[in-house]
PDB file of all heavy atoms in Angstrom:
ATOM      1  N   LEU A  71      95.604 115.135  85.673  1.00  0.00           N
ATOM      2  CA  LEU A  71      94.859 113.920  85.352  1.00  0.00           C
ATOM      3  C   LEU A  71      93.828 114.289  84.286  1.00  0.00           C
ATOM      4  O   LEU A  71      92.837 114.962  84.572  1.00  0.00           O
ATOM      5  CB  LEU A  71      94.169 113.361  86.599  1.00  0.00           C
ATOM      6  CG  LEU A  71      93.230 112.166  86.382  1.00  0.00           C
ATOM      7  CD1 LEU A  71      93.954 111.000  85.724  1.00  0.00           C
ATOM      8  CD2 LEU A  71      92.598 111.726  87.707  1.00  0.00           C
ATOM      9  N   TYR A  72      94.097 113.877  83.047  1.00  0.00           N
ATOM     10  CA  TYR A  72      93.181 114.158  81.947  1.00  0.00           C
ATOM     11  C   TYR A  72      92.109 113.073  81.867  1.00  0.00           C
ATOM     12  O   TYR A  72      92.414 111.874  81.894  1.00  0.00           O
ATOM     13  CB  TYR A  72      93.923 114.187  80.616  1.00  0.00           C
ATOM     14  CG  TYR A  72      94.679 115.462  80.328  1.00  0.00           C
ATOM     15  CD1 TYR A  72      96.072 115.479  80.354  1.00  0.00           C
ATOM     16  CD2 TYR A  72      93.999 116.631  80.008  1.00  0.00           C
ATOM     17  CE1 TYR A  72      96.773 116.640  80.060  1.00  0.00           C
ATOM     18  CE2 TYR A  72      94.695 117.795  79.720  1.00  0.00           C
ATOM     19  CZ  TYR A  72      96.080 117.796  79.752  1.00  0.00           C
ATOM     20  OH  TYR A  72      96.771 118.950  79.467  1.00  0.00           O
ATOM     21  N   LYS A  73      90.864 113.523  81.721  1.00  0.00           N
ATOM     22  CA  LYS A  73      89.762 112.594  81.525  1.00  0.00           C
ATOM     23  C   LYS A  73      89.687 112.191  80.057  1.00  0.00           C
ATOM     24  O   LYS A  73      90.113 112.950  79.173  1.00  0.00           O
ATOM     25  CB  LYS A  73      88.448 113.252  81.955  1.00  0.00           C
ATOM     26  CG  LYS A  73      87.291 112.297  82.149  1.00  0.00           C
ATOM     27  CD  LYS A  73      86.103 113.038  82.751  1.00  0.00           C
ATOM     28  CE  LYS A  73      84.951 112.072  83.053  1.00  0.00           C
ATOM     29  NZ  LYS A  73      83.811 112.788  83.673  1.00  0.00           N
ATOM     30  N   LYS A  74      89.144 111.032  79.771  1.00  0.00           N
ATOM     31  CA  LYS A  74      88.981 110.578  78.390  1.00  0.00           C
ATOM     32  C   LYS A  74      88.151 111.585  77.605  1.00  0.00           C
ATOM     33  O   LYS A  74      87.078 112.008  78.051  1.00  0.00           O
ATOM     34  CB  LYS A  74      88.320 109.201  78.363  1.00  0.00           C
ATOM     35  CG  LYS A  74      88.168 108.621  76.966  1.00  0.00           C
ATOM     36  CD  LYS A  74      87.516 107.249  77.009  1.00  0.00           C
ATOM     37  CE  LYS A  74      87.343 106.690  75.609  1.00  0.00           C
ATOM     38  NZ  LYS A  74      86.685 105.351  75.625  1.00  0.00           N
ATOM     39  N   GLY A  75      88.658 111.993  76.442  1.00  0.00           N
ATOM     40  CA  GLY A  75      87.937 112.920  75.587  1.00  0.00           C
ATOM     41  C   GLY A  75      88.292 114.374  75.777  1.00  0.00           C
ATOM     42  O   GLY A  75      87.914 115.223  74.962  1.00  0.00           O
ATOM     43  N   THR A  76      89.024 114.708  76.860  1.00  0.00           N
ATOM     44  CA  THR A  76      89.427 116.091  77.088  1.00  0.00           C
ATOM     45  C   THR A  76      90.577 116.469  76.155  1.00  0.00           C
ATOM     46  O   THR A  76      91.544 115.717  76.040  1.00  0.00           O
ATOM     47  CB  THR A  76      89.885 116.291  78.543  1.00  0.00           C
ATOM     48  OG1 THR A  76      88.813 115.986  79.427  1.00  0.00           O
ATOM     49  CG2 THR A  76      90.319 117.735  78.768  1.00  0.00           C
ATOM     50  N   PRO A  77      90.507 117.633  75.481  1.00  0.00           N
ATOM     51  CA  PRO A  77      91.642 118.083  74.663  1.00  0.00           C
ATOM     52  C   PRO A  77      92.908 118.185  75.509  1.00  0.00           C
ATOM     53  O   PRO A  77      92.866 118.603  76.664  1.00  0.00           O
ATOM     54  CB  PRO A  77      91.194 119.462  74.167  1.00  0.00           C
ATOM     55  CG  PRO A  77      89.701 119.422  74.223  1.00  0.00           C
ATOM     56  CD  PRO A  77      89.366 118.564  75.408  1.00  0.00           C
ATOM     57  N   GLN A  78      94.031 117.815  74.920  1.00  0.00           N
ATOM     58  CA  GLN A  78      95.318 117.848  75.630  1.00  0.00           C
ATOM     59  C   GLN A  78      96.278 118.756  74.869  1.00  0.00           C
ATOM     60  O   GLN A  78      96.721 118.422  73.769  1.00  0.00           O
ATOM     61  CB  GLN A  78      95.895 116.431  75.741  1.00  0.00           C
ATOM     62  CG  GLN A  78      95.017 115.468  76.527  1.00  0.00           C
ATOM     63  CD  GLN A  78      95.477 114.034  76.421  1.00  0.00           C
ATOM     64  OE1 GLN A  78      96.519 113.728  75.822  1.00  0.00           O
ATOM     65  NE2 GLN A  78      94.699 113.114  76.986  1.00  0.00           N
ATOM     66  N   PHE A  79      96.569 119.919  75.477  1.00  0.00           N
ATOM     67  CA  PHE A  79      97.506 120.877  74.881  1.00  0.00           C
ATOM     68  C   PHE A  79      98.532 121.264  75.949  1.00  0.00           C
ATOM     69  O   PHE A  79      98.176 121.881  76.948  1.00  0.00           O
ATOM     70  CB  PHE A  79      96.784 122.135  74.401  1.00  0.00           C
ATOM     71  CG  PHE A  79      95.675 121.894  73.411  1.00  0.00           C
ATOM     72  CD1 PHE A  79      94.349 122.067  73.781  1.00  0.00           C
ATOM     73  CD2 PHE A  79      95.954 121.486  72.114  1.00  0.00           C
ATOM     74  CE1 PHE A  79      93.327 121.846  72.888  1.00  0.00           C
ATOM     75  CE2 PHE A  79      94.929 121.261  71.205  1.00  0.00           C
ATOM     76  CZ  PHE A  79      93.613 121.439  71.588  1.00  0.00           C
ATOM     77  N   TYR A  80      99.784 120.883  75.741  1.00  0.00           N
ATOM     78  CA  TYR A  80     100.834 121.334  76.650  1.00  0.00           C
ATOM     79  C   TYR A  80     102.172 121.340  75.917  1.00  0.00           C
ATOM     80  O   TYR A  80     102.346 120.658  74.907  1.00  0.00           O
ATOM     81  CB  TYR A  80     100.892 120.489  77.924  1.00  0.00           C
ATOM     82  CG  TYR A  80     101.018 118.998  77.751  1.00  0.00           C
ATOM     83  CD1 TYR A  80     102.261 118.362  77.782  1.00  0.00           C
ATOM     84  CD2 TYR A  80      99.874 118.202  77.606  1.00  0.00           C
ATOM     85  CE1 TYR A  80     102.368 116.992  77.654  1.00  0.00           C
ATOM     86  CE2 TYR A  80      99.985 116.825  77.467  1.00  0.00           C
ATOM     87  CZ  TYR A  80     101.225 116.228  77.496  1.00  0.00           C
ATOM     88  OH  TYR A  80     101.333 114.863  77.375  1.00  0.00           O
ATOM     89  N   ARG A  81     103.095 122.148  76.446  1.00  0.00           N
ATOM     90  CA  ARG A  81     104.362 122.336  75.745  1.00  0.00           C
ATOM     91  C   ARG A  81     105.462 122.723  76.727  1.00  0.00           C
ATOM     92  O   ARG A  81     105.181 123.139  77.850  1.00  0.00           O
ATOM     93  CB  ARG A  81     104.233 123.419  74.680  1.00  0.00           C
ATOM     94  CG  ARG A  81     103.916 124.809  75.204  1.00  0.00           C
ATOM     95  CD  ARG A  81     103.652 125.788  74.064  1.00  0.00           C
ATOM     96  NE  ARG A  81     103.512 127.165  74.527  1.00  0.00           N
ATOM     97  CZ  ARG A  81     102.380 127.709  74.941  1.00  0.00           C
ATOM     98  NH1 ARG A  81     101.267 126.988  74.954  1.00  0.00           N
ATOM     99  NH2 ARG A  81     102.355 128.976  75.326  1.00  0.00           N
ATOM    100  N   ALA A  82     106.706 122.574  76.291  1.00  0.00           N
ATOM    101  CA  ALA A  82     107.849 123.014  77.083  1.00  0.00           C
ATOM    102  C   ALA A  82     107.832 124.537  77.210  1.00  0.00           C
ATOM    103  O   ALA A  82     107.226 125.238  76.391  1.00  0.00           O
ATOM    104  CB  ALA A  82     109.150 122.549  76.430  1.00  0.00           C
ATOM    105  N   ASP A  83     108.504 125.021  78.242  1.00  0.00           N
ATOM    106  CA  ASP A  83     108.511 126.463  78.505  1.00  0.00           C
ATOM    107  C   ASP A  83     109.953 126.979  78.549  1.00  0.00           C
ATOM    108  O   ASP A  83     110.462 127.360  79.599  1.00  0.00           O
ATOM    109  CB  ASP A  83     107.789 126.760  79.822  1.00  0.00           C
ATOM    110  CG  ASP A  83     107.650 128.251  80.088  1.00  0.00           C
ATOM    111  OD1 ASP A  83     107.820 129.041  79.145  1.00  0.00           O
ATOM    112  OD2 ASP A  83     107.379 128.628  81.252  1.00  0.00           O
ATOM    113  N   GLY A  84     110.630 126.930  77.394  1.00  0.00           N
ATOM    114  CA  GLY A  84     111.965 127.501  77.293  1.00  0.00           C
ATOM    115  C   GLY A  84     113.094 126.602  77.734  1.00  0.00           C
ATOM    116  O   GLY A  84     114.262 126.999  77.703  1.00  0.00           O
ATOM    117  N   GLU A  85     112.772 125.383  78.176  1.00  0.00           N
ATOM    118  CA  GLU A  85     113.809 124.441  78.588  1.00  0.00           C
ATOM    119  C   GLU A  85     113.305 123.039  78.324  1.00  0.00           C
ATOM    120  O   GLU A  85     112.177 122.851  77.837  1.00  0.00           O
ATOM    121  CB  GLU A  85     114.144 124.622  80.072  1.00  0.00           C
ATOM    122  CG  GLU A  85     112.962 124.408  80.999  1.00  0.00           C
ATOM    123  CD  GLU A  85     113.299 124.663  82.456  1.00  0.00           C
ATOM    124  OE1 GLU A  85     114.005 125.653  82.735  1.00  0.00           O
ATOM    125  OE2 GLU A  85     112.838 123.872  83.315  1.00  0.00           O
ATOM    126  N   ARG A  86     114.138 122.036  78.600  1.00  0.00           N
ATOM    127  CA  ARG A  86     113.699 120.659  78.394  1.00  0.00           C
ATOM    128  C   ARG A  86     112.429 120.372  79.187  1.00  0.00           C
ATOM    129  O   ARG A  86     112.259 120.857  80.300  1.00  0.00           O
ATOM    130  CB  ARG A  86     114.784 119.678  78.823  1.00  0.00           C
ATOM    131  CG  ARG A  86     116.030 119.677  77.948  1.00  0.00           C
ATOM    132  CD  ARG A  86     116.901 118.474  78.284  1.00  0.00           C
ATOM    133  NE  ARG A  86     117.166 118.376  79.704  1.00  0.00           N
ATOM    134  CZ  ARG A  86     117.503 117.255  80.344  1.00  0.00           C
ATOM    135  NH1 ARG A  86     117.593 116.130  79.671  1.00  0.00           N
ATOM    136  NH2 ARG A  86     117.755 117.264  81.629  1.00  0.00           N
ATOM    137  N   PHE A  87     111.563 119.554  78.598  1.00  0.00           N
ATOM    138  CA  PHE A  87     110.329 119.151  79.284  1.00  0.00           C
ATOM    139  C   PHE A  87     110.497 117.723  79.785  1.00  0.00           C
ATOM    140  O   PHE A  87     110.835 116.816  79.022  1.00  0.00           O
ATOM    141  CB  PHE A  87     109.138 119.232  78.337  1.00  0.00           C
ATOM    142  CG  PHE A  87     107.857 118.712  78.939  1.00  0.00           C
ATOM    143  CD1 PHE A  87     107.130 119.492  79.822  1.00  0.00           C
ATOM    144  CD2 PHE A  87     107.397 117.435  78.641  1.00  0.00           C
ATOM    145  CE1 PHE A  87     105.960 119.016  80.390  1.00  0.00           C
ATOM    146  CE2 PHE A  87     106.225 116.948  79.199  1.00  0.00           C
ATOM    147  CZ  PHE A  87     105.502 117.744  80.076  1.00  0.00           C
ATOM    148  N   GLY A  88     110.262 117.526  81.080  1.00  0.00           N
ATOM    149  CA  GLY A  88     110.387 116.198  81.669  1.00  0.00           C
ATOM    150  C   GLY A  88     109.122 115.787  82.391  1.00  0.00           C
ATOM    151  O   GLY A  88     108.458 116.622  83.016  1.00  0.00           O
ATOM    152  N   ASN A  89     108.780 114.507  82.305  1.00  0.00           N
ATOM    153  CA  ASN A  89     107.611 114.010  83.039  1.00  0.00           C
ATOM    154  C   ASN A  89     107.633 112.490  83.135  1.00  0.00           C
ATOM    155  O   ASN A  89     108.327 111.802  82.402  1.00  0.00           O
ATOM    156  CB  ASN A  89     106.308 114.478  82.374  1.00  0.00           C
ATOM    157  CG  ASN A  89     106.076 113.856  81.003  1.00  0.00           C
ATOM    158  OD1 ASN A  89     107.007 113.463  80.318  1.00  0.00           O
ATOM    159  ND2 ASN A  89     104.847 113.790  80.572  1.00  0.00           N
ATOM    160  N   ASP A  90     106.878 111.988  84.105  1.00  0.00           N
ATOM    161  CA  ASP A  90     106.473 110.586  84.158  1.00  0.00           C
ATOM    162  C   ASP A  90     105.007 110.553  83.748  1.00  0.00           C
ATOM    163  O   ASP A  90     104.248 111.472  84.085  1.00  0.00           O
ATOM    164  CB  ASP A  90     106.608 110.014  85.578  1.00  0.00           C
ATOM    165  CG  ASP A  90     108.050 109.945  86.058  1.00  0.00           C
ATOM    166  OD1 ASP A  90     108.957 109.957  85.221  1.00  0.00           O
ATOM    167  OD2 ASP A  90     108.246 109.890  87.288  1.00  0.00           O
ATOM    168  N   TRP A  91     104.572 109.500  83.063  1.00  0.00           N
ATOM    169  CA  TRP A  91     103.197 109.502  82.578  1.00  0.00           C
ATOM    170  C   TRP A  91     102.711 108.076  82.334  1.00  0.00           C
ATOM    171  O   TRP A  91     103.497 107.157  82.136  1.00  0.00           O
ATOM    172  CB  TRP A  91     103.083 110.282  81.261  1.00  0.00           C
ATOM    173  CG  TRP A  91     104.050 109.820  80.204  1.00  0.00           C
ATOM    174  CD1 TRP A  91     105.320 110.283  79.995  1.00  0.00           C
ATOM    175  CD2 TRP A  91     103.867 108.752  79.258  1.00  0.00           C
ATOM    176  NE1 TRP A  91     105.919 109.597  78.968  1.00  0.00           N
ATOM    177  CE2 TRP A  91     105.053 108.664  78.487  1.00  0.00           C
ATOM    178  CE3 TRP A  91     102.805 107.893  78.967  1.00  0.00           C
ATOM    179  CZ2 TRP A  91     105.201 107.733  77.467  1.00  0.00           C
ATOM    180  CZ3 TRP A  91     102.950 106.958  77.946  1.00  0.00           C
ATOM    181  CH2 TRP A  91     104.141 106.888  77.213  1.00  0.00           C
ATOM    182  N   PHE A  92     101.410 107.930  82.358  1.00  0.00           N
ATOM    183  CA  PHE A  92     100.818 106.714  81.802  1.00  0.00           C
ATOM    184  C   PHE A  92      99.393 106.985  81.340  1.00  0.00           C
ATOM    185  O   PHE A  92      98.680 107.820  81.888  1.00  0.00           O
ATOM    186  CB  PHE A  92     100.873 105.520  82.769  1.00  0.00           C
ATOM    187  CG  PHE A  92     100.107 105.652  84.055  1.00  0.00           C
ATOM    188  CD1 PHE A  92      98.734 105.457  84.104  1.00  0.00           C
ATOM    189  CD2 PHE A  92     100.768 105.922  85.248  1.00  0.00           C
ATOM    190  CE1 PHE A  92      98.034 105.537  85.303  1.00  0.00           C
ATOM    191  CE2 PHE A  92     100.087 106.020  86.440  1.00  0.00           C
ATOM    192  CZ  PHE A  92      98.704 105.825  86.473  1.00  0.00           C
ATOM    193  N   HIS A  93      99.017 106.300  80.268  1.00  0.00           N
ATOM    194  CA  HIS A  93      97.651 106.297  79.763  1.00  0.00           C
ATOM    195  C   HIS A  93      96.952 105.067  80.348  1.00  0.00           C
ATOM    196  O   HIS A  93      97.562 103.996  80.450  1.00  0.00           O
ATOM    197  CB  HIS A  93      97.635 106.212  78.239  1.00  0.00           C
ATOM    198  CG  HIS A  93      98.240 107.401  77.555  1.00  0.00           C
ATOM    199  ND1 HIS A  93      97.477 108.431  77.051  1.00  0.00           N
ATOM    200  CD2 HIS A  93      99.528 107.732  77.281  1.00  0.00           C
ATOM    201  CE1 HIS A  93      98.265 109.335  76.487  1.00  0.00           C
ATOM    202  NE2 HIS A  93      99.524 108.931  76.630  1.00  0.00           N
ATOM    203  N   PHE A  94      95.679 105.216  80.679  1.00  0.00           N
ATOM    204  CA  PHE A  94      94.979 104.077  81.265  1.00  0.00           C
ATOM    205  C   PHE A  94      93.488 104.170  80.969  1.00  0.00           C
ATOM    206  O   PHE A  94      92.975 105.225  80.546  1.00  0.00           O
ATOM    207  CB  PHE A  94      95.210 104.019  82.784  1.00  0.00           C
ATOM    208  CG  PHE A  94      94.512 105.108  83.564  1.00  0.00           C
ATOM    209  CD1 PHE A  94      93.321 104.852  84.248  1.00  0.00           C
ATOM    210  CD2 PHE A  94      95.042 106.399  83.617  1.00  0.00           C
ATOM    211  CE1 PHE A  94      92.682 105.858  84.964  1.00  0.00           C
ATOM    212  CE2 PHE A  94      94.410 107.400  84.337  1.00  0.00           C
ATOM    213  CZ  PHE A  94      93.223 107.125  85.012  1.00  0.00           C
ATOM    214  N   LEU A  95      92.790 103.064  81.207  1.00  0.00           N
ATOM    215  CA  LEU A  95      91.338 103.010  81.034  1.00  0.00           C
ATOM    216  C   LEU A  95      90.709 102.269  82.207  1.00  0.00           C
ATOM    217  O   LEU A  95      91.206 101.201  82.597  1.00  0.00           O
ATOM    218  CB  LEU A  95      90.970 102.289  79.735  1.00  0.00           C
ATOM    219  CG  LEU A  95      91.160 103.078  78.430  1.00  0.00           C
ATOM    220  CD1 LEU A  95      91.038 102.158  77.235  1.00  0.00           C
ATOM    221  CD2 LEU A  95      90.159 104.224  78.350  1.00  0.00           C
ATOM    222  N   PRO A  96      89.660 102.821  82.810  1.00  0.00           N
ATOM    223  CA  PRO A  96      88.893 102.076  83.816  1.00  0.00           C
ATOM    224  C   PRO A  96      88.199 100.896  83.136  1.00  0.00           C
ATOM    225  O   PRO A  96      87.792 100.990  81.974  1.00  0.00           O
ATOM    226  CB  PRO A  96      87.881 103.107  84.328  1.00  0.00           C
ATOM    227  CG  PRO A  96      88.429 104.446  83.903  1.00  0.00           C
ATOM    228  CD  PRO A  96      89.174 104.195  82.635  1.00  0.00           C
ATOM    229  N   ASP A  97      88.074  99.802  83.857  1.00  0.00           N
ATOM    230  CA  ASP A  97      87.444  98.611  83.291  1.00  0.00           C
ATOM    231  C   ASP A  97      85.948  98.553  83.537  1.00  0.00           C
ATOM    232  O   ASP A  97      85.226  97.845  82.827  1.00  0.00           O
ATOM    233  CB  ASP A  97      88.098  97.345  83.871  1.00  0.00           C
ATOM    234  CG  ASP A  97      89.536  97.175  83.395  1.00  0.00           C
ATOM    235  OD1 ASP A  97      89.810  97.535  82.239  1.00  0.00           O
ATOM    236  OD2 ASP A  97      90.370  96.694  84.180  1.00  0.00           O
ATOM    237  N   ASN A  98      85.482  99.285  84.551  1.00  0.00           N
ATOM    238  CA  ASN A  98      84.058  99.193  84.894  1.00  0.00           C
ATOM    239  C   ASN A  98      83.647 100.408  85.729  1.00  0.00           C
ATOM    240  O   ASN A  98      84.470 101.285  86.031  1.00  0.00           O
ATOM    241  CB  ASN A  98      83.781  97.897  85.671  1.00  0.00           C
ATOM    242  CG  ASN A  98      84.783  97.669  86.796  1.00  0.00           C
ATOM    243  OD1 ASN A  98      85.077  98.586  87.568  1.00  0.00           O
ATOM    244  ND2 ASN A  98      85.326  96.461  86.880  1.00  0.00           N
ATOM    245  N   GLU A  99      82.388 100.438  86.122  1.00  0.00           N
ATOM    246  CA  GLU A  99      81.858 101.550  86.911  1.00  0.00           C
ATOM    247  C   GLU A  99      82.523 101.632  88.284  1.00  0.00           C
ATOM    248  O   GLU A  99      82.707 102.725  88.830  1.00  0.00           O
ATOM    249  CB  GLU A  99      80.342 101.383  87.082  1.00  0.00           C
ATOM    250  CG  GLU A  99      79.651 102.549  87.776  1.00  0.00           C
ATOM    251  CD  GLU A  99      79.744 103.836  86.977  1.00  0.00           C
ATOM    252  OE1 GLU A  99      79.848 103.778  85.736  1.00  0.00           O
ATOM    253  OE2 GLU A  99      79.718 104.920  87.613  1.00  0.00           O
ATOM    254  N   GLU A 100      82.891 100.485  88.824  1.00  0.00           N
ATOM    255  CA  GLU A 100      83.565 100.479  90.123  1.00  0.00           C
ATOM    256  C   GLU A 100      84.880 101.247  90.060  1.00  0.00           C
ATOM    257  O   GLU A 100      85.218 102.003  90.992  1.00  0.00           O
ATOM    258  CB  GLU A 100      83.839  99.038  90.567  1.00  0.00           C
ATOM    259  CG  GLU A 100      84.535  98.937  91.923  1.00  0.00           C
ATOM    260  CD  GLU A 100      84.894  97.514  92.292  1.00  0.00           C
ATOM    261  OE1 GLU A 100      84.447  96.580  91.604  1.00  0.00           O
ATOM    262  OE2 GLU A 100      85.647  97.336  93.281  1.00  0.00           O
ATOM    263  N   ASP A 101      85.631 101.105  88.973  1.00  0.00           N
ATOM    264  CA  ASP A 101      86.883 101.848  88.814  1.00  0.00           C
ATOM    265  C   ASP A 101      86.629 103.355  88.752  1.00  0.00           C
ATOM    266  O   ASP A 101      87.365 104.147  89.351  1.00  0.00           O
ATOM    267  CB  ASP A 101      87.606 101.411  87.532  1.00  0.00           C
ATOM    268  CG  ASP A 101      88.226 100.031  87.651  1.00  0.00           C
ATOM    269  OD1 ASP A 101      88.417  99.558  88.789  1.00  0.00           O
ATOM    270  OD2 ASP A 101      88.523  99.429  86.604  1.00  0.00           O
ATOM    271  N   LEU A 102      85.572 103.759  88.048  1.00  0.00           N
ATOM    272  CA  LEU A 102      85.232 105.180  87.949  1.00  0.00           C
ATOM    273  C   LEU A 102      84.844 105.752  89.307  1.00  0.00           C
ATOM    274  O   LEU A 102      85.236 106.869  89.669  1.00  0.00           O
ATOM    275  CB  LEU A 102      84.097 105.382  86.947  1.00  0.00           C
ATOM    276  CG  LEU A 102      84.447 105.122  85.477  1.00  0.00           C
ATOM    277  CD1 LEU A 102      83.190 105.166  84.619  1.00  0.00           C
ATOM    278  CD2 LEU A 102      85.466 106.140  84.979  1.00  0.00           C
TER     279      LEU A 102
END
Side-chain angles (χ1 to χ4, degrees):
L71 174 57
Y72 281 109
K73 195 173 184 178
K74 183 180 179 181
T76 299
Q78 298 170 5
F79 303 109
Y80 54 95
R81 63 186 187 273
D83 185 16
E85 60 183 42
R86 292 192 308 157
F87 175 79
N89 67 334
D90 294 339
W91 53 270
F92 63 79
H93 295 262
F94 71 101
L95 284 168
D97 292 325
N98 47 47
E99 186 64 28
E100 180 185 350
D101 287 341
L102 291 172

